[in-house]
C-alpha cells in the first residue's frame, strides 16, 4: 500500500504551496507539517479535514490506490 503522506506532498506541490504556507493554514509548526509529509507522525482526522480543504481535494484522493 502506498503511503498517504506521499500523496499529501504531491498534492501540495501540484497546488504550488510551500510547506510553510500549509503549516500556517493548519496552525502548526513547519517542522510538524514536514514530519507529516515524511510519515513520521500521523494526522488526526480533524487536521486531515483542514488539510484537504487547503489542498482543494477530497479525503478519498489521498487514500486512492494507483492501478
Amino acid at each position: 500500500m502506498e503511503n498517504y503522506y506521499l500523496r499529501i506532498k504531491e498534492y501540495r506541490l501540484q497546488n504550488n504551496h510551500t510547506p510553510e504556507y500549509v503549516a500556517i493554514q493548519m496552525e502548526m509548526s513547519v517542522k510538524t507539517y514536514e514530519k507529516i509529509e515524511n510519515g513520521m507522525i500521523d494526522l488526526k482526522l480533524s487536521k486531515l479535514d483542514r488539510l484537504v480543504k487547503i489542498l482543494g481535494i477530497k479525503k478519498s484522493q489521498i487514500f486512492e490506490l494507483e492501478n
Side-chain angles (χ1 to χ4, degrees):
M1 183 176 137
E2 184 178 343
N3 295 315
Y4 73 89
Y5 55 87
L6 295 175
R7 288 191 181 264
I8 292 171
K9 185 173 184 175
E10 288 173 15
Y11 283 116
R12 177 182 60 76
L13 292 172
Q14 286 175 12
N15 284 295
N16 296 316
H17 294 322
T18 63
E20 293 81 5
Y21 172 81
V22 177
I24 290 168
Q25 298 301 311
M26 299 273 300
E27 298 179 354
M28 62 176 55
S29 71
V30 175
K31 280 189 173 191
T32 300
Y33 178 72
E34 289 174 340
K35 286 180 181 181
I36 291 168
E37 280 194 357
N38 291 319
M40 298 172 72
I41 59 174
D42 289 325
L43 272 173
K44 293 182 180 178
L45 189 56
S46 61
K47 293 287 186 184
L48 179 60
D49 287 339
R50 184 178 286 183
L51 179 60
V52 296
K53 286 180 184 176
I54 294 165
L55 299 177
I57 60 172
K58 297 178 183 177
K59 272 189 267 191
S60 61
Q61 289 178 266
I62 291 177
F63 300 105
E64 285 177 349
L65 298 176
E66 287 189 25
N67 296 325

